[in-house]
Short mmCIF file of all heavy atoms in Angstrom, two decimals:
data_model
loop_
_atom_site.label_atom_id
_atom_site.label_comp_id
_atom_site.label_asym_id
_atom_site.label_seq_id
_atom_site.Cartn_x
_atom_site.Cartn_y
_atom_site.Cartn_z
N HIS A 22 0.86 -1.19 0.00
CA HIS A 22 0.00 0.01 -0.02
C HIS A 22 0.89 1.21 0.00
O HIS A 22 1.91 1.27 0.69
CB HIS A 22 -0.92 0.02 1.23
CG HIS A 22 -1.90 -1.11 1.23
ND1 HIS A 22 -3.17 -0.98 0.66
CD2 HIS A 22 -1.85 -2.37 1.65
CE1 HIS A 22 -3.83 -2.13 0.79
NE2 HIS A 22 -3.01 -3.00 1.40
N ARG A 23 0.49 2.23 -0.74
CA ARG A 23 1.28 3.44 -0.96
C ARG A 23 1.38 4.34 0.29
O ARG A 23 2.34 5.06 0.47
CB ARG A 23 0.76 4.24 -2.14
CG ARG A 23 0.95 3.55 -3.47
CD ARG A 23 0.43 4.42 -4.61
NE ARG A 23 -1.02 4.75 -4.40
CZ ARG A 23 -1.44 5.97 -4.04
NH1 ARG A 23 -0.58 6.98 -3.80
NH2 ARG A 23 -2.71 6.17 -3.90
N THR A 24 0.34 4.28 1.11
CA THR A 24 0.29 5.15 2.29
C THR A 24 -0.07 4.37 3.54
O THR A 24 -0.64 3.24 3.44
CB THR A 24 -0.73 6.30 2.17
OG1 THR A 24 -2.01 5.75 2.14
CG2 THR A 24 -0.43 7.11 0.89
N VAL A 25 0.30 4.92 4.69
CA VAL A 25 -0.10 4.23 5.94
C VAL A 25 -1.60 4.19 6.12
O VAL A 25 -2.18 3.18 6.57
CB VAL A 25 0.56 5.00 7.15
CG1 VAL A 25 0.18 4.26 8.47
CG2 VAL A 25 2.02 5.05 7.00
N ARG A 26 -2.25 5.23 5.68
CA ARG A 26 -3.76 5.25 5.84
C ARG A 26 -4.39 4.17 4.98
O ARG A 26 -5.29 3.48 5.40
CB ARG A 26 -4.31 6.63 5.41
CG ARG A 26 -5.76 6.78 5.79
CD ARG A 26 -6.34 8.15 5.43
NE ARG A 26 -5.59 9.22 6.06
CZ ARG A 26 -5.90 10.48 5.98
NH1 ARG A 26 -6.99 10.87 5.33
NH2 ARG A 26 -5.15 11.43 6.56
N GLU A 27 -3.88 4.03 3.73
CA GLU A 27 -4.43 2.99 2.86
C GLU A 27 -4.23 1.58 3.49
O GLU A 27 -5.07 0.71 3.43
CB GLU A 27 -3.80 3.04 1.46
CG GLU A 27 -4.27 4.23 0.65
CD GLU A 27 -3.53 4.29 -0.68
OE1 GLU A 27 -2.80 3.34 -1.03
OE2 GLU A 27 -3.74 5.27 -1.45
N LEU A 28 -3.05 1.44 4.09
CA LEU A 28 -2.74 0.12 4.73
C LEU A 28 -3.70 -0.08 5.93
O LEU A 28 -4.29 -1.18 6.05
CB LEU A 28 -1.32 0.14 5.30
CG LEU A 28 -0.84 -1.09 6.06
CD1 LEU A 28 -0.89 -2.33 5.20
CD2 LEU A 28 0.51 -0.86 6.68
N ALA A 29 -3.92 0.95 6.72
CA ALA A 29 -4.77 0.78 7.91
C ALA A 29 -6.25 0.42 7.49
O ALA A 29 -6.91 -0.31 8.15
CB ALA A 29 -4.74 2.06 8.71
N GLU A 30 -6.67 1.06 6.39
CA GLU A 30 -8.06 0.79 5.92
C GLU A 30 -8.23 -0.64 5.48
O GLU A 30 -9.34 -1.20 5.56
CB GLU A 30 -8.36 1.70 4.73
CG GLU A 30 -8.61 3.19 5.10
CD GLU A 30 -8.82 4.07 3.89
OE1 GLU A 30 -8.43 3.65 2.84
OE2 GLU A 30 -9.26 5.19 4.06
N ALA A 31 -7.12 -1.28 5.03
CA ALA A 31 -7.24 -2.60 4.42
C ALA A 31 -7.10 -3.77 5.36
O ALA A 31 -7.35 -4.96 5.04
CB ALA A 31 -6.18 -2.74 3.28
N VAL A 32 -6.74 -3.51 6.68
CA VAL A 32 -6.31 -4.62 7.52
C VAL A 32 -7.15 -4.63 8.85
O VAL A 32 -7.81 -3.64 9.18
CB VAL A 32 -4.79 -4.48 7.92
CG1 VAL A 32 -4.02 -4.54 6.60
CG2 VAL A 32 -4.50 -3.24 8.70
N ASP A 33 -7.08 -5.74 9.53
CA ASP A 33 -7.72 -5.93 10.81
C ASP A 33 -6.75 -5.55 11.93
O ASP A 33 -7.22 -5.02 13.01
CB ASP A 33 -8.11 -7.40 11.03
CG ASP A 33 -9.04 -7.96 9.97
OD1 ASP A 33 -9.96 -7.26 9.54
OD2 ASP A 33 -8.68 -9.04 9.44
N VAL A 34 -5.52 -5.74 11.75
CA VAL A 34 -4.50 -5.46 12.77
C VAL A 34 -3.31 -4.77 12.07
O VAL A 34 -2.86 -5.13 11.04
CB VAL A 34 -3.96 -6.69 13.46
CG1 VAL A 34 -2.96 -6.36 14.57
CG2 VAL A 34 -5.14 -7.56 14.01
N LEU A 35 -2.84 -3.66 12.70
CA LEU A 35 -1.71 -2.91 12.18
C LEU A 35 -0.54 -3.11 13.18
O LEU A 35 -0.63 -2.76 14.32
CB LEU A 35 -2.07 -1.44 12.08
CG LEU A 35 -0.92 -0.51 11.54
CD1 LEU A 35 -0.50 -0.90 10.14
CD2 LEU A 35 -1.28 0.95 11.63
N VAL A 36 0.57 -3.71 12.63
CA VAL A 36 1.77 -3.93 13.42
C VAL A 36 2.88 -2.93 12.97
O VAL A 36 3.22 -2.94 11.86
CB VAL A 36 2.28 -5.41 13.26
CG1 VAL A 36 3.54 -5.61 14.08
CG2 VAL A 36 1.21 -6.42 13.67
N VAL A 37 3.24 -2.15 13.94
CA VAL A 37 4.20 -1.08 13.73
C VAL A 37 5.64 -1.61 13.94
O VAL A 37 6.01 -1.98 15.00
CB VAL A 37 3.97 0.15 14.61
CG1 VAL A 37 4.96 1.27 14.21
CG2 VAL A 37 2.54 0.67 14.37
N ALA A 38 6.42 -1.67 12.85
CA ALA A 38 7.81 -2.19 12.90
C ALA A 38 8.70 -1.22 12.15
O ALA A 38 9.80 -1.57 11.77
CB ALA A 38 7.89 -3.54 12.30
N ALA A 39 8.28 0.10 11.98
CA ALA A 39 9.08 1.07 11.29
C ALA A 39 10.19 1.55 12.12
O ALA A 39 10.21 1.56 13.30
CB ALA A 39 8.17 2.19 10.84
N SER A 40 11.27 2.03 11.43
CA SER A 40 12.42 2.64 12.12
C SER A 40 12.02 3.92 12.73
O SER A 40 11.15 4.66 12.25
CB SER A 40 13.55 2.86 11.13
OG SER A 40 13.95 1.66 10.51
N GLY A 41 12.68 4.26 13.86
CA GLY A 41 12.42 5.59 14.49
C GLY A 41 13.18 6.69 13.73
O GLY A 41 13.81 6.40 12.68
N GLY A 42 13.14 7.86 14.23
CA GLY A 42 13.79 9.00 13.65
C GLY A 42 12.83 10.08 13.19
O GLY A 42 11.56 9.86 13.18
N PRO A 43 13.32 11.25 12.73
CA PRO A 43 12.43 12.36 12.39
C PRO A 43 11.50 12.04 11.23
O PRO A 43 10.38 12.63 11.19
CB PRO A 43 13.40 13.45 12.00
CG PRO A 43 14.76 12.84 11.96
CD PRO A 43 14.73 11.56 12.73
N ASP A 44 11.87 11.17 10.34
CA ASP A 44 11.05 10.89 9.16
C ASP A 44 9.78 10.09 9.56
O ASP A 44 8.83 10.01 8.80
CB ASP A 44 11.78 10.16 8.09
CG ASP A 44 12.89 11.03 7.45
OD1 ASP A 44 12.78 12.24 7.58
OD2 ASP A 44 13.79 10.45 6.88
N SER A 45 9.78 9.39 10.68
CA SER A 45 8.69 8.53 11.02
C SER A 45 7.88 9.05 12.20
O SER A 45 6.96 8.31 12.63
CB SER A 45 9.22 7.08 11.30
OG SER A 45 10.04 7.06 12.46
N VAL A 46 8.16 10.17 12.75
CA VAL A 46 7.43 10.73 13.90
C VAL A 46 5.97 10.89 13.55
O VAL A 46 5.65 11.61 12.63
CB VAL A 46 8.07 12.03 14.43
CG1 VAL A 46 7.21 12.66 15.47
CG2 VAL A 46 9.46 11.76 14.96
N GLY A 47 5.09 10.27 14.33
CA GLY A 47 3.68 10.52 14.18
C GLY A 47 3.03 10.07 12.88
O GLY A 47 1.93 10.53 12.53
N ILE A 48 3.65 9.14 12.17
CA ILE A 48 3.10 8.69 10.87
C ILE A 48 1.83 7.86 11.05
O ILE A 48 1.03 7.66 10.17
CB ILE A 48 4.07 7.97 9.99
CG1 ILE A 48 4.63 6.70 10.64
CG2 ILE A 48 5.26 8.90 9.61
CD1 ILE A 48 5.55 5.85 9.77
N VAL A 49 1.60 7.31 12.29
CA VAL A 49 0.30 6.73 12.63
C VAL A 49 -0.39 7.77 13.58
O VAL A 49 -0.04 7.89 14.77
CB VAL A 49 0.45 5.41 13.36
CG1 VAL A 49 -0.89 4.84 13.71
CG2 VAL A 49 1.19 4.42 12.43
N GLY A 50 -1.28 8.49 13.02
CA GLY A 50 -2.05 9.50 13.73
C GLY A 50 -3.52 9.25 13.79
O GLY A 50 -3.94 8.08 13.55
N ALA A 51 -4.29 10.23 14.14
CA ALA A 51 -5.72 10.08 14.37
C ALA A 51 -6.43 9.59 13.06
O ALA A 51 -7.32 8.69 13.16
CB ALA A 51 -6.36 11.42 14.82
N ALA A 52 -5.94 10.06 11.94
CA ALA A 52 -6.60 9.60 10.66
C ALA A 52 -6.33 8.15 10.43
O ALA A 52 -7.22 7.44 9.97
CB ALA A 52 -6.06 10.50 9.50
N GLU A 53 -5.09 7.70 10.64
CA GLU A 53 -4.76 6.34 10.41
C GLU A 53 -5.44 5.39 11.41
O GLU A 53 -5.92 4.30 10.97
CB GLU A 53 -3.23 6.12 10.52
CG GLU A 53 -2.44 6.76 9.38
CD GLU A 53 -2.37 8.25 9.37
OE1 GLU A 53 -2.49 8.84 10.49
OE2 GLU A 53 -2.19 8.82 8.30
N LEU A 54 -5.58 5.83 12.61
CA LEU A 54 -6.28 5.00 13.62
C LEU A 54 -7.80 4.95 13.26
O LEU A 54 -8.41 3.88 13.50
CB LEU A 54 -6.08 5.61 15.05
CG LEU A 54 -4.63 5.50 15.56
CD1 LEU A 54 -4.46 6.38 16.78
CD2 LEU A 54 -4.22 4.09 15.81
N ALA A 55 -8.36 6.09 12.84
CA ALA A 55 -9.79 6.02 12.39
C ALA A 55 -9.98 5.05 11.23
O ALA A 55 -10.93 4.38 11.11
CB ALA A 55 -10.21 7.42 12.09
N ALA A 56 -8.94 5.03 10.33
CA ALA A 56 -9.01 4.11 9.16
C ALA A 56 -8.93 2.69 9.62
O ALA A 56 -9.54 1.82 8.99
CB ALA A 56 -7.90 4.49 8.17
N LEU A 57 -8.16 2.40 10.67
CA LEU A 57 -8.15 1.05 11.21
C LEU A 57 -9.50 0.58 11.74
O LEU A 57 -9.86 -0.60 11.55
CB LEU A 57 -7.08 1.02 12.33
CG LEU A 57 -6.66 -0.35 12.91
CD1 LEU A 57 -6.17 -1.31 11.81
CD2 LEU A 57 -5.61 -0.17 13.97
N GLY A 58 -10.23 1.48 12.37
CA GLY A 58 -11.59 1.23 12.66
C GLY A 58 -11.89 0.59 14.06
O GLY A 58 -10.97 0.15 14.73
N PRO A 59 -13.20 0.58 14.46
CA PRO A 59 -13.55 0.16 15.77
C PRO A 59 -13.34 -1.32 16.04
O PRO A 59 -13.38 -1.75 17.21
CB PRO A 59 -15.05 0.55 15.87
CG PRO A 59 -15.53 0.65 14.47
CD PRO A 59 -14.30 1.13 13.67
N GLN A 60 -13.14 -2.14 15.03
CA GLN A 60 -12.76 -3.55 15.26
C GLN A 60 -11.30 -3.81 15.03
O GLN A 60 -10.90 -4.97 15.13
CB GLN A 60 -13.60 -4.43 14.25
CG GLN A 60 -15.09 -4.32 14.38
CD GLN A 60 -15.62 -4.60 15.76
OE1 GLN A 60 -15.19 -5.62 16.34
NE2 GLN A 60 -16.48 -3.81 16.27
N GLY A 61 -10.56 -2.78 14.73
CA GLY A 61 -9.10 -2.93 14.47
C GLY A 61 -8.26 -2.88 15.73
O GLY A 61 -8.67 -2.30 16.77
N HIS A 62 -7.05 -3.47 15.62
CA HIS A 62 -6.12 -3.50 16.72
C HIS A 62 -4.73 -2.96 16.26
O HIS A 62 -4.40 -3.18 15.05
CB HIS A 62 -5.93 -4.88 17.23
CG HIS A 62 -7.17 -5.50 17.86
ND1 HIS A 62 -8.21 -5.97 17.15
CD2 HIS A 62 -7.53 -5.59 19.18
CE1 HIS A 62 -9.16 -6.44 17.98
NE2 HIS A 62 -8.79 -6.23 19.23
N LEU A 63 -4.00 -2.40 17.17
CA LEU A 63 -2.65 -1.92 16.87
C LEU A 63 -1.61 -2.58 17.76
O LEU A 63 -1.87 -2.79 18.95
CB LEU A 63 -2.61 -0.39 17.11
CG LEU A 63 -1.25 0.25 16.98
CD1 LEU A 63 -1.02 0.67 15.49
CD2 LEU A 63 -1.05 1.50 17.86
N VAL A 64 -0.51 -2.95 17.17
CA VAL A 64 0.60 -3.50 17.92
C VAL A 64 1.84 -2.69 17.60
O VAL A 64 2.13 -2.49 16.41
CB VAL A 64 0.84 -4.98 17.58
CG1 VAL A 64 2.20 -5.49 18.22
CG2 VAL A 64 -0.29 -5.85 18.06
N ASN A 65 2.55 -2.18 18.57
CA ASN A 65 3.80 -1.32 18.32
C ASN A 65 4.95 -1.89 19.08
O ASN A 65 5.00 -1.88 20.31
CB ASN A 65 3.54 0.10 18.68
CG ASN A 65 4.65 1.02 18.32
OD1 ASN A 65 5.61 0.58 17.65
ND2 ASN A 65 4.57 2.33 18.70
N ILE A 66 5.94 -2.40 18.30
CA ILE A 66 7.19 -2.88 18.87
C ILE A 66 8.39 -2.05 18.26
O ILE A 66 9.52 -2.50 18.41
CB ILE A 66 7.46 -4.37 18.70
CG1 ILE A 66 7.17 -4.82 17.22
CG2 ILE A 66 6.48 -5.17 19.57
CD1 ILE A 66 8.26 -4.53 16.29
N ALA A 67 8.08 -0.93 17.67
CA ALA A 67 9.10 -0.16 16.92
C ALA A 67 9.69 0.94 17.84
O ALA A 67 10.57 0.73 18.62
CB ALA A 67 8.54 0.44 15.68
#
């Protein structure tokens, strides 16, 4: 998927494994979480 939001819209669970640093700060925000939806789950180990 070309964007994080498109990815979130397409999946049941979003697993965050992206590298840290200035380029990735806040790339999962309110819009991406809304796209994940009320039945969606987030896992962050990054």
